[in-house]
C-alpha cells in the first residue's frame, strides 16, 4: 500500500463519484473550505483518475450561469462548488433562474468547520465562526429540489447518486449539497470497485391515450387553434416534431417569452412572438410548457375557447399563485405529447384545415413584409434601434451559431433555422445570466460560434470583468453584442404603464431608469479582446462582421451598439 491509498480522503471519493456520473466540470469559487478538494484534485492529477475538470470562476453567478449554459447545450448536469454561506448567497440569483427553467445542476458549497479544534479540518481562520449558520441551505431551499449536508466521509458516493438522480428526475432542477471540511478530509477506506448499487432512473411522464384522443379530436375540429410555447425546445427534438405538426395541421405557433428554439421564424406557421392577436379569435389554445401563456391583466382567450395546458409540471406546483384556465391538463413531456399527437392525427381529416392554412400563410407573408419594412426603415434612420440591430445580426449568424438572448434578440428580424440554436433568460428574469451562459455554451460546443445579445443592464449584472476574464483564461472566444439603450427600459416601461398620467411620466419615466452609455468596448480590450462601439446604423454590419471574424480566429469580442431610446 502506498502512502496515498493509506490516507485516502473522502474528497477523493467525492470527486470520483462526480466523474463516474459524467460530470465534466466543477465550476469553483474557492475559499478556506476547499482544502480537501484541492488535495483530492492534486492526487487525482497524479493518478490520472477520471474526475471533473476544476475551473476557477471569479464570481459565483458566473459559475452557476456557466453550468447552466453547458447543460442547456449538452443536456448533462454539471457541478458548482462555492465558498460557505457567503459564496452560496452570491449565486442565488442564477440558482433561481435555473430552478424556474428546470435546469439540473449540482450546486455545492463548503460548510464552515463545525469543530472548533481537535479534528483534522477544525476551524483555523477568523471567519470560521461568523460564517456558520443555523441552516445554510435555508437560504435556497425553496428553489432546489433537494438539499443535504454530507455527514460522513464514507457517504460521498451515495450522496452524489442521490443528488443527481433527483436533479435529473422530471421535472428537472438544481439540487444543493453542503460539504463540511472535516467530512471531506476524513480518512476513508480504499473503495471497493463496482460496489455501486444499480439505480434505474424514471422517465419523464407520458400522456394517456384518452387525453391524446381528446386533443387530436379538438385539433381536427378547430376553426382557429393556436399553440403557445415557452420552454418547448429544451429538448431540441421538440422543435423538429412541432415544426412537422404545425406544417401538416396548419397550427400557428407563438413562442411567447421563449427560452428555446421552438420553431423557425421562416416557418409559415410562426406567427410572431405575442399571443394577443391570435388569442382574440382562437377557439382552441394549446399551451405547451408555458408558465405564463398570456398576460391576463391585458388579454385573455375569448370565452368558449378550449384551453389545453401541457407540460411536465403543468400546474407549476412550485409557483404560489397561477390561475390560467384549462379544459384539459396533461402532465407529460412536450416531446411525448407531440409524438403521440402525430400518430393520433394521422388518420383524421381536419375540418377547417385548408381555410386555416390559407389564412395563416397570408398572415405570415404580411408579417414578414412588415418586419422587412421596419428593418429597411430602421437602416435608413440616424440611430441604431433594436430592429436594426437584430436585422444586422443576419450578417454573422449562421446555422451553427448558438444565440443567447437576454432580452434583446428577436427572431422576427433574424430568423434562426436550427433546433438547439436559441437560449433565453429564465422566466424568473434574474439578470446577469447571458454572458456566463454563453461561456458555458462555448465550453460545451467549442466548434460553434456563440453570440450573446444582452441589454446594457444585463451585461453589467453579469459581472462582466469576471466573464471576460474567464473567456480569456479558459480560451472561450464568445461574441457579445450589447443593445445599449443607456436605460433600464423595462423599469421605465413599468413606471409608464402604471403611472402614464402620473408625475413620473412627465420625466418620461426615466427616474431610476437612466444609465450612462460607458465604453464597454474598453472592458473587453482589457482582456485582450476585440471591442467596437457603434453609433451609426450604417457602421453596424461591418462592425459585426469584424467582431465575428475576431471570434472565429479565437479572440473574444464585444460590440457596444449605442441605441438611444
Ligand atoms: C438580478 C436582477 N435585478 C434587477 C432586475 C429588475 N430589472 C428587470 S429589467 C431591468 C433592466 C434591464 O436593463 P437592460 O438589460 O439594459 O434592458 P432594457 O430594460 O433596457 O431593455 C431590471 C433592472 C432583474 N430582472 N434582475
Amino acid at each position: 500500500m502506498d502512502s496515498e491509498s493509506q490516507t485516502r480522503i473522502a474528497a477523493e471519493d467525492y470527486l470520483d463519484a462526480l466523474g463516474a456520473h459524467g460530470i465534466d466540470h466543477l465550476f469553483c469559487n474557492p475559499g478556506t473550505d476547499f482544502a480537501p478538494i484541492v488535495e483530492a484534485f492534486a492526487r487525482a492529477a497524479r493518478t490520472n483518475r477520471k474526475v471533473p475538470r476544476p475551473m476557477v470562476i471569479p464570481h459565483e453567478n458566473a459559475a452557476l450561469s456557466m453550468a447552466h449554459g453547458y447543460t442547456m447545450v449538452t443536456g448533462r448536469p454539471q457541478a458548482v462548488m462555492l465558498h460557505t454561506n457567503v459564496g452560496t448567497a452570491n449565486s442565488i440569483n442564477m440558482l433561481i433562474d435555473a430552478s424556474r427553467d428546470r435546469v439540473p445542476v449540482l450546486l455545492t458549497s463548503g460548510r464552515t468547520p463545525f469543530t472548533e479544534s481537535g479534528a483534522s479540518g477544525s476551524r483555523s481562520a477568523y471567519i470560521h465562526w461568523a460564517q456558520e449558520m443555523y441552516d445554510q441551505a435555508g437560504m435556497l431551499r425553496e428553489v432546489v429540489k433537494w438539499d443535504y449536508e454530507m455527514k460522513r466521509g464514507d457517504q460521498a458516493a451515495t450522496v452524489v447518486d442521490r443528488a443527481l438522480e433527483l436533479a435529473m428526475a422530471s421535472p428537472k432542477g438544481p439540487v444543493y449539497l453542503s460539504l463540511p471540511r472535516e467530512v471531506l478530509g476524513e480518512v476513508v477506506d480504499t473503495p471497493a470497485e463496482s460496489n455501486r448499487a444499480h439505480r434505474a432512473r424514471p422517465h419523464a411522464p407520458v400522456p394517456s391515450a384518452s387525453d391524446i384522443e381528446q386533443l387530436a379530436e379538438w385539433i381536427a375540429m378547430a376553426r382557429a387553434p393556436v399553440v403557445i410555447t415557452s420552454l418547448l425546445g429544451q429538448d431540441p427534438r421538440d422543435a423538429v416534431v412541432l415544426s412537422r405538426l404545425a406544417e401538416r395541421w396548419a397550427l400557428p405557433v407563438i413562442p411567447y417569452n421563449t427560452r428555446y428554439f421552438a420553431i423557425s421564424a421562416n416557418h409559415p406557421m410562426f406567427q410572431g412572438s405575442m399571443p394577443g392577436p391570435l388569442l382574440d379569435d382562437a377557439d382552441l389554445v394549446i399551451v405547451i410548457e408555458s408558465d405564463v401563456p398570456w398576460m391576463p391583466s391585458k388579454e385573455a382567450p375569448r370565452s368558449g375557447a378550449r384551453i389545453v395546458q401541457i407540460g411536465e409540471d403543468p400546474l407549476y406546483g412550485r409557483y404560489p399563485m397561477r390561475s390560467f384556465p384549462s379544459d384539459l391538463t396533461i402532465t407529460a413531456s412536450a416531446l411525448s405529447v407531440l409524438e403521440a399527437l402525430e400518430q393520433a392525427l394521422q388518420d383524421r381529416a381536419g375540418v377547417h384545415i385548408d381555410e386555416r392554412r390559407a389564412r395563416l400563410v397570408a398572415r405570415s407573408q404580411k408579417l414578414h413584409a412588415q418586419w422587412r419594412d421596419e428593418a429597411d426603415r430602421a437602416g435608413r434612420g440616424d440611430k441604431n434601434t433594436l430592429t436594426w440591430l437584430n436585422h444586422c445580426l443576419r450578417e454573422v449568424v449562421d446555422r451553427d451559431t448558438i444565440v443567447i438572448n437576454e432580452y434583446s434578440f428577436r427572431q422576427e428580424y433574424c430568423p434562426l433555422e436550427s433546433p438547439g440554436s436559441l437560449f433565453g433568460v429564465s422566466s424568473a428574469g434574474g439578470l446577469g445570466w447571458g454572458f456566463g451562459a454563453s461561456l458555458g455554451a462555448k465550453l460545451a460546443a467549442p466548434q460553434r460560434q456563440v453570440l450573446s445579445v444582452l441589454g446594457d443592464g444585463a451585461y453589467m449584472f453579469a459581472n462582466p470583468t469576471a466573464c471576460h476574464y474567464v473567456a480569456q483564461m479558459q480560451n472561450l472566444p464568445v461574441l457579445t453584442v450589447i443593445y445599449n439603450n443607456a436605460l433600464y427600459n423595462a423599469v421605465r416601461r413599468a413606471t409608464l404603464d402604471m403611472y402614464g398620467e402620473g408625475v413620473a411620466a412627465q420625466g418620461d419615466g426615466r427616474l431610476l431608469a437612466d444609465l450612462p452609455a460607458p465604453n464597454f468596448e474598453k472592458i473587453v480590450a482589457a482582456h485582450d479582446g476585440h471591442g467596437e462601439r457603434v453609433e451609426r446604423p450604417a457602421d453596424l454590419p461591418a462592425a459585426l462582421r469584424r467582431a465575428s471574424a475576431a471570434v472565429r480566429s479565437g479572440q473574444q469580442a464585444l460590440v457596444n451598439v449605442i441605441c438611444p431610446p
Side-chain angles (χ1 to χ4, degrees):
M1 225 180 234
D2 64 25
S3 63
E4 278 187 11
S5 54
Q6 277 172 345
T7 63
R8 184 176 171 84
I9 56 175
E12 293 175 271
D13 278 5
Y14 173 68
L15 295 186
D16 281 359
L18 297 182
H21 279 282
I23 290 185
D24 304 318
H25 298 93
L26 183 63
F27 300 100
C28 300
N29 195 275
T32 50
D33 43 352
F34 273 57
I37 293 287
V38 176
E39 175 66 14
F41 270 124
R43 292 183 185 186
R46 284 176 51 179
T47 55
N48 276 331
R49 287 204 318 276
K50 180 176 177 280
V51 296
R53 175 179 161 208
M55 287 173 88
V56 176
I57 310 300
H59 194 280
E60 292 82 358
N61 269 328
L64 210 63
S65 54
M66 278 187 78
H68 187 144
Y70 192 93
T71 301
M72 73 194 185
V73 171
T74 62
R76 287 188 287 118
Q78 300 298 297
V80 173
M81 182 161 176
L82 306 176
H83 175 55
T84 64
N85 57 345
V86 288
T88 307
N90 255 358
S91 75
I92 292 179
N93 176 17
M94 292 299 99
L95 188 67
I96 295 171
D97 275 353
S99 168
R100 290 306 196 209
D101 270 3
R102 307 200 314 237
V103 173
V105 47
L106 173 56
L107 173 62
T108 71
S109 45
R111 183 228 190 270
T112 207
F114 44 78
T115 53
E116 295 186 81
S117 63
S120 166
S122 287
R123 294 181 185 180
S124 57
Y126 173 61
I127 52 170
H128 287 163
W129 278 261
Q131 285 188 344
E132 185 166 37
M133 294 181 81
Y134 288 109
D135 181 10
Q136 185 164 299
M139 64 176 137
L140 51 75
R141 184 162 295 126
E142 188 168 338
V143 288
V144 294
K145 293 178 67 183
W146 169 92
D147 70 88
Y148 191 67
E149 181 166 298
M150 200 157 104
K151 309 281 195 301
R152 291 167 50 102
D154 57 9
Q155 272 188 310
T158 49
V159 162
V160 171
D161 279 347
R162 180 75 181 141
L164 288 168
E165 73 183 359
L166 283 166
M168 292 301 283
S170 168
K172 294 176 185 164
V175 292
Y176 175 69
L177 176 63
S178 65
L179 300 162
R181 189 163 87 160
E182 296 94 324
V183 175
L184 286 176
E186 261 175 43
V187 173
V188 292
D189 292 338
T190 304
E193 293 305 325
S194 72
N195 62 352
R196 180 184 297 273
H198 178 66
R199 293 152 86 99
R201 296 215 177 137
H203 292 292
V206 298
S208 74
S210 59
D211 283 348
I212 289 297
E213 275 306 297
Q214 177 69 91
L215 180 52
E217 180 67 16
W218 286 354
I219 290 175
M221 303 303 290
R223 181 187 48 78
V226 59
V227 176
I228 300 173
T229 74
S230 296
L231 211 66
L232 187 143
Q234 193 166 34
D235 179 337
R237 293 172 299 176
D238 298 350
V240 176
V241 187
L242 178 67
S243 188
R244 273 200 315 256
L245 256 183
E247 168 82 48
R248 164 77 184 83
W249 282 87
L251 290 173
V253 178
I254 308 286
Y256 178 46
N257 290 315
T258 193
R259 268 92 77 203
Y260 293 92
F261 176 94
I263 193 165
S264 168
N266 283 333
H267 192 296
M269 292 303 131
F270 173 90
Q271 298 280 323
S273 308
M274 300 303 286
L278 293 185
L279 213 51
D280 289 346
D281 186 44
D283 60 353
L284 175 63
V285 182
I286 305 172
V287 176
I288 311 181
E289 292 292 11
S290 180
D291 52 354
V292 182
W294 60 84
M295 195 50 59
S297 58
K298 300 199 158 56
E299 62 205 355
R302 66 188 183 85
S303 72
R306 285 191 169 117
I307 297 165
V308 185
Q309 305 263 358
I310 299 166
E312 289 186 38
D313 176 21
L315 300 182
Y316 293 85
R318 303 294 302 159
Y319 287 28
M321 256 335 270
R322 179 183 184 273
S323 310
F324 292 91
S326 184
D327 298 291
L328 177 63
T329 306
I330 302 179
T331 303
S333 73
L335 186 63
S336 67
V337 171
L338 294 170
E339 285 178 341
L341 264 182
E342 242 187 346
Q343 288 283 325
L345 283 165
Q346 227 163 31
D347 302 324
R348 288 175 199 261
V351 177
H352 303 284
I353 194 158
D354 294 336
E355 178 275 325
R356 219 151 80 191
R357 187 184 312 283
R359 178 165 43 82
L360 290 165
V361 167
R363 184 171 186 272
S364 157
Q365 285 165 352
K366 206 167 143 199
L367 285 173
H368 276 276
Q370 264 172 29
W371 296 328
R372 255 194 319 274
D373 281 357
E374 271 177 56
D376 287 348
R377 259 181 284 122
R380 289 194 299 273
D382 57 0
K383 55 184 192 182
N384 291 305
T385 62
L386 185 133
T387 301
W388 180 240
L389 183 153
N390 276 286
H391 178 76
C392 292
L393 290 175
R394 293 167 182 243
E395 298 281 337
V396 295
V397 169
D398 63 14
R399 289 186 76 92
D400 248 2
T401 300
I402 291 176
V403 177
I404 312 265
N405 178 26
E406 200 159 10
Y407 266 163
S408 323
F409 179 79
R410 301 282 183 277
Q411 251 215 86
E412 281 85 339
Y413 310 105
C414 181
L416 302 176
E417 292 292 345
S418 313
S421 60
L422 176 64
F423 301 94
V425 66
S426 164
S427 53
L431 292 179
W433 166 85
F435 199 164
S438 75
L439 296 169
K442 185 70 183 171
L443 191 62
Q447 72 291 354
R448 295 176 71 176
Q449 175 179 243
V450 177
L451 159 69
S452 55
V453 188
L454 314 176
D456 48 332
Y459 172 72
M460 287 188 281
F461 275 116
N463 301 292
T465 311
C467 291
H468 287 305
Y469 166 91
V470 172
Q472 182 181 15
M473 298 309 287
Q474 304 291 343
N475 189 24
L476 297 170
V478 291
L479 173 54
T480 305
V481 174
I482 302 182
Y483 168 69
N484 190 346
N485 56 3
L487 193 65
Y488 282 163
N489 202 21
V491 177
R492 170 177 164 263
R493 274 199 311 268
T495 303
L496 294 178
D497 197 31
M498 207 167 159
Y499 295 103
E501 305 298 320
V503 181
Q506 291 168 18
D508 193 29
R510 281 159 185 269
L511 191 75
L512 304 191
D514 260 337
L515 304 172
N519 297 321
F520 293 131
E521 65 282 3
K522 292 190 177 164
I523 303 182
V524 71
H527 299 269
D528 289 347
H530 173 98
E532 302 215 19
R533 180 181 176 102
V534 181
E535 309 262 1
R536 295 185 322 139
D539 297 336
L540 186 53
L544 288 170
R545 282 197 299 272
R546 283 191 296 272
S548 176
V551 165
R552 289 181 193 276
S553 71
Q555 193 186 17
Q556 62 173 316
L558 178 148
V559 184
N560 183 12
V561 187
I562 308 302
C563 304

